[in-house]
Amino acid sequence: MSTLVAASAANVLVWIVWVVAGFSCLASGVAVVSFSNPFYSALALIGNLGSLAILYLLLSAEFVAAAQVLVYAGAVMVMFLFVIAYVGPRMEAPWAGGPSWQTLGAVGAAGALLVEIVVVISLKAGDSLGTSAAVGASFGTPAWIGRIFVTDHLASFEITSIVLLVAAVGGVILGSHTRRRASETVAPNVVEQREPVGGAR
């Protein structure tokens, strides 16, 4: 009897963590595309990646959850924050100017995902998804994931690295143009302030 009560309490706890992580993932995803300041968007993206890591843990994918935190929420987001700091974030407050079409689109996408989640839960409760696929003992291990990366998904893996490299180079180029434009706007103001002094003499 005590074993059954403990198993029921564990299932309830898993469902609570799943619901909290799911809604946190949706809320942070909406925040990523809604904030006007890119720094706040990057912080919301870190929260989104952390919520995804919790969902991976509930699926017994410990390696993917660790990679989600170490690689994406760690290394990749550090690069994003470096690019944002180099370019210079805009100094607007979050939700400035009222909701935009990005905000409405994000809310619509979140609503569609919520409907999809409800449908999947309904199908699971109705035992329509009760049949599980047969998986081997090596499924989800680092060796299995590494073999998949360098065989079946090698092209997508390399394309992702190229996209990240292009994003870093683009951030550096945008930062150099922003600083050059700022120096060009400051120089005429200095000249205009000095001209009346020369004319007075």
Side-chain angles (χ1 to χ4, degrees), residues 75-178:
V76 175
M77 289 310 303
V78 166
M79 186 190 70
F80 283 175
L81 292 174
F82 170 75
V83 172
I84 292 171
Y86 191 83
V87 174
R90 295 176 297 173
M91 301 306 295
E92 291 107 353
W95 305 96
S100 60
W101 65 270
Q102 292 97 338
T103 305
L104 298 178
V107 172
L113 288 175
L114 180 61
V115 171
E116 183 178 358
I117 291 172
V118 171
V119 170
V120 171
I121 293 176
S122 301
L123 292 175
K124 182 66 177 178
D127 205 17
S128 298
L129 301 177
T131 57
S132 59
V135 294
S138 62
F139 180 80
T141 59
W144 183 84
I145 294 174
R147 183 177 60 81
I148 292 297
F149 272 157
V150 299
T151 54
D152 297 340
H153 302 286
L154 179 61
S156 59
F157 185 71
E158 294 298 330
I159 289 172
T160 303
S161 62
I162 293 173
V163 168
L164 293 176
L165 178 61
V166 170
V169 174
V172 172
I173 294 174
L174 289 174
S176 62
H177 283 304
T178 303

Side-chain angles (χ1 to χ4, degrees), residues 22-56:
F23 278 101
S24 299
C25 184
L26 291 176
S28 57
V30 172
V32 169
V33 297
S34 300
F35 285 151
S36 300
N37 194 319
F39 183 76
Y40 292 125
S41 296
L43 293 180
L45 184 57
I46 293 176
N48 183 268
L49 296 174
S51 302
L52 286 176
I54 295 175
L55 293 177
Y56 285 133

